[in-house]
Amino acid sequence: MDPQKEALHRIIATLASKNEELHSFIDTLSHSLRGVQENSSKVILDLDEEFDSLYSFLDEMKASMTNTIKLEQARKMQELQNQHTQSISALESSEELLEFANNALDIKDPEGFTKAAKQIKDRVTMAPAFRLTMKPKATDCMTHLMVDFSQERQMIQSLKFLPVPSAPEVDISDCLVADNSVSVAWRMPEDSKIEYYILEYRKTNHDGLPRVKDERCWEVVDNIKATEYSLTGLKFDSKYMNFRVRACNKAAAGDYSNPITLETRAFNFSLDSTSSHQNLKVEDGCVEWDSAGGKGQDSKIKGKENKGSGHVTILKNTSRSGTPSPKRTSVSSRPSPVRGSRDRFTGESYTVLGDTCIDNGQHYWEVKAQKDCKSYSLGVAFRNLGKFDQLGKTNTSWCIHVNNWLQATFAAKHNNKAKTLDMVVPDRIGVYCDFDGGQLLFYNADTKQLLHTFKTKFTQPILPAFMVWCGGLTLFTGLQVPSAVKCFQKTENGLSGSANSLNSVAH
């Protein structure tokens, strides 16, 4: 190509990338503008509610204190009124007695005078005026019910908006992605009293900063007490994951940290229903053995090999008719899989292939058999595996085979050669393929015990391959190569072939 055209193509690619970045940034700004407006309205409403609540509380306090004053007023007035009434009555009695005593002074008869004097004396002794307390039972002072809100007023005047925690800082170098788990660590830029943290994450296929118009919603992990958190048991069915963290105190949640994007690539594939035997029914990731699938087709049932499942796919036997191999996409470029380009497997090849080619790199998936499964195989095959070919019986397929019918066997098969595996069949089997290194390994998925190793040179792209008869399989994809498998590979590199391996070169 002309150098100027090449340069122009590079410029166009750079401009297109920058335009896409600007579109995303404009979306972010528009989203933030709407957020500022909505959140401002919300906090104003919250402020109104708080002040209304404060006004209501003050009104209640005023009514309560006013009632206290009125009760005190009523008590004092009652006390004083009683004393006032008693005093008037005593005064009237005393004035009457005084008048009687003055009149007694004019009595000339000694006997009459003596009698009157005795009466006056007795009445004085019992007179109310001499029995009353001459001290008011209540004062007119009400200062004990006065208030001074100067301190409270100062306190109200000093009211401020709640202190909000700073945004945490997340450093990508402190984060780890391994074994389908993600560990995220962060720190606070300054000392502050944090009650807990909120971690939010979402899957995405876009690198760089999170996009507002992303196809997935944020998922939330709340009430995290530490400054790190690990998400485990994830299915990596996207290229990346976005993460952000916010800190919360007793009052409010702070701003989000700057979001980070971590790569979470893994091998994802499904079953190619267009390749499956007619007695294998593939629907929505589920494959079932359907004895009527072949519509009367001869169903000689001898526990044979080859059948598989994708995503959490359940496989159960069925017969099928088929032919050449499908034209599939490779792991390196992974556009949408291309289907329907090969005939179905047929005869006694109860097989189904994965829908995505492997032509480079290291990949891992796992398979779990149903307890009642009589016969199954799992491995890989070239795309051109014949429609009558059974897994492990050609030089273009590699597998391990489990037979639980009549006589139980567990063996590794390739090119019509079998090697018995003297070990217990695991409940769940892991498959590790190193295309560039020419290795296919099978593991106990739970203990990571090595079951068998194929050493070969893959001269063509390969596909995951499965056989099942009278039973079912469940496929687990979106898995990273486990750390234990990576460590084992490091120790094995450079060493001679394993004792439980069948070495080969396929053409």
Side-chain angles (χ1 to χ4, degrees):
M1 183 183 290
D2 183 273
Q4 290 185 338
K5 283 190 176 181
E6 286 186 5
L8 184 57
H9 278 300
R10 288 195 296 270
I11 292 172
I12 291 172
T14 301
L15 287 173
S17 175
K18 178 55 69 175
N19 286 350
E20 184 179 2
E21 185 179 346
L22 283 171
H23 276 298
S24 178
F25 183 60
I26 290 170
D27 289 339
T28 300
L29 291 176
S30 299
H31 180 76
S32 297
L33 285 169
R34 290 192 298 271
V36 168
Q37 187 172 8
E38 292 171 2
N39 293 333
S40 296
S41 299
K42 181 180 181 301
V43 295
I44 289 174
L45 287 175
D46 291 342
L47 184 65
D48 288 341
E49 288 180 2
E50 287 295 325
F51 270 96
D52 288 343
S53 176
L54 182 59
Y55 296 152
S56 176
F57 176 75
L58 290 174
D59 287 340
E60 290 176 3
M61 287 294 296
K62 179 181 178 181
S64 175
M65 297 177 79
T66 300
N67 186 57
T68 300
I69 293 173
K70 289 181 177 181
L71 290 175
E72 180 70 357
Q73 175 191 4
R75 183 190 70 81
K76 286 192 172 188
M77 290 186 69
Q78 184 65 41
E79 294 280 358
L80 293 173
Q81 186 64 49
N82 288 342
Q83 278 191 294
H84 184 268
T85 300
Q86 292 172 1
S87 297
I88 290 176
S89 176
L91 178 60
E92 290 175 351
S93 176
S94 180
E95 286 178 345
E96 179 187 356
L97 181 59
L98 178 60
E99 183 180 358
F100 179 70
N102 287 328
N103 293 332
L105 292 175
D106 297 331
I107 297 175
K108 303 299 182 181
D109 179 26
E111 184 178 351
F113 178 80
T114 300
K115 183 178 178 181
K118 184 176 183 308
Q119 288 180 350
I120 292 170
K121 181 179 179 183
D122 291 340
R123 289 179 64 182
V124 168
T125 304
M126 300 301 295
F130 294 97
R131 301 173 65 86
L132 283 175
T133 300
M134 304 302 288
K135 179 181 180 182
K137 290 186 176 181
T139 68
D140 60 355
C141 180
M142 298 292 283
T143 56
H144 63 291
L145 294 177
M146 293 180 66
V147 295
D148 179 7
F149 289 145
S150 58
Q151 291 184 348
E152 288 77 6
R153 189 176 294 108
Q154 290 178 359
M155 182 180 68
I156 292 176
Q157 289 173 344
S158 65
L159 283 179
K160 298 179 180 178
F161 292 106
L162 294 172
V164 176
S166 302
E169 296 176 353
V170 183
D171 190 345
I172 292 184
S173 62
D174 295 331
C175 302
L176 177 65
V177 179
D179 297 318
N180 284 84
S181 298
V182 179
S183 295
V184 182
W186 58 89
R187 60 180 176 271
M188 294 301 294
E190 56 190 29
D191 291 336
S192 53
K193 294 182 179 180
I194 303 300
E195 292 294 309
Y196 61 93
Y197 298 92
I198 297 174
L199 171 67
E200 297 187 6
Y201 66 94
R202 70 178 176 187
K203 297 178 180 180
T204 180
N205 286 315
H206 303 295
D207 193 5
L209 294 176
R211 303 185 179 198
V212 173
K213 295 182 178 179
D214 204 288
E215 64 276 10
R216 313 209 190 192
C217 297
W218 290 96
E219 297 186 56
V220 179
V221 181
D222 203 350
N223 201 32
I224 301 173
K225 300 298 184 181
T227 56
E228 61 180 355
Y229 190 82
S230 295
L231 296 166
T232 60
L234 298 172
K235 178 180 174 65
F236 286 166
D237 52 2
S238 64
K239 295 179 182 178
Y240 306 95
M241 288 181 69
N242 302 140
F243 296 87
R244 63 186 185 184
V245 185
R246 67 195 311 191
C248 304
N249 57 21
K250 289 183 177 180
D255 285 336
Y256 287 105
S257 64
N258 290 328
I260 64 168
T261 300
L262 300 178
E263 186 175 10
T264 56
R265 293 179 186 270
F267 186 40
N268 286 276
F269 66 93
S270 299
L271 295 177
D272 182 6
S273 60
T274 65
S275 73
S276 63
H277 192 286
Q278 280 189 343
N279 284 112
L280 297 181
K281 184 180 178 182
V282 181
E283 279 186 355
D284 298 329
C286 180
V287 180
E288 296 181 347
W289 169 258
D290 181 5
S291 59
K295 296 181 181 179
Q297 185 178 0
D298 178 29
S299 57
K300 295 180 181 178
I301 302 180
K302 297 180 181 178
K304 305 281 180 182
E305 328 157 27
N306 293 354
K307 149 104 204 159
S309 68
H311 294 303
V312 174
T313 302
I314 300 176
L315 312 183
K316 300 177 184 174
N317 273 10
T318 6
S319 22
R320 32 183 241 157
S321 62
T323 66
S325 53
K327 183 180 181 182
R328 294 181 177 80
T329 58
S330 67
V331 173
S332 55
S333 57
R334 274 190 65 99
S336 59
V338 179
R339 304 172 186 268
S341 54
R342 70 160 289 146
D343 292 336
R344 293 178 179 275
F345 289 96
T346 189
E348 295 183 354
S349 180
Y350 303 111
T351 304
V352 65
L353 299 175
D355 65 355
T356 304
C357 279
I358 299 173
D359 59 9
N360 64 70
Q362 301 173 350
H363 310 283
Y364 181 82
W365 61 96
E366 294 179 356
V367 178
K368 181 179 177 64
Q370 294 179 353
K371 292 187 180 298
D372 60 350
C373 189
K374 290 185 178 179
S375 180
Y376 63 92
S377 301
L378 54 136
V380 298
F382 285 168
R383 291 184 295 184
N384 60 0
L385 184 67
K387 65 179 182 179
F388 295 102
D389 293 339
Q390 299 176 11
L391 289 186
K393 292 194 173 183
T394 69
N395 68 343
T396 59
S397 61
W398 299 257
C399 72
I400 57 173
H401 175 65
V402 178
N403 180 50
N404 296 316
W405 185 58
L406 298 181
Q407 184 178 359
T409 59
F410 185 27
K413 292 188 175 184
H414 169 66
N415 201 18
N416 210 23
K417 295 180 181 178
K419 180 180 179 60
T420 300
L421 304 180
D422 187 16
M423 58 189 71
V424 176
V425 179
D427 290 335
R428 186 160 163 162
I429 297 174
V431 183
Y432 168 75
C433 177
D434 180 359
F435 185 90
D436 302 317
Q439 293 190 87
L440 180 67
L441 291 86
F442 299 87
Y443 287 89
N444 181 324
D446 297 321
T447 66
K448 298 303 181 287
Q449 175 195 8
L450 179 65
L451 305 176
H452 185 75
T453 301
F454 286 108
K455 291 183 180 294
T456 185
K457 181 179 180 181
F458 298 117
T459 57
Q460 299 178 31
I462 55 177
L463 291 162
F466 310 85
M467 182 284 293
V468 66
W469 173 70
C470 288
L473 301 174
T474 301
L475 174 67
F476 301 88
T477 66
L479 302 176
Q480 292 184 304
V481 178
S483 300
V485 173
K486 290 181 179 179
C487 291
F488 177 80
Q489 286 303 109
K490 287 182 180 179
T491 60
E492 287 294 301
N493 284 342
L495 300 180
S496 59
S498 168
N500 59 340
S501 66
L502 291 175
N503 297 333
S504 65
V505 176
H507 301 283

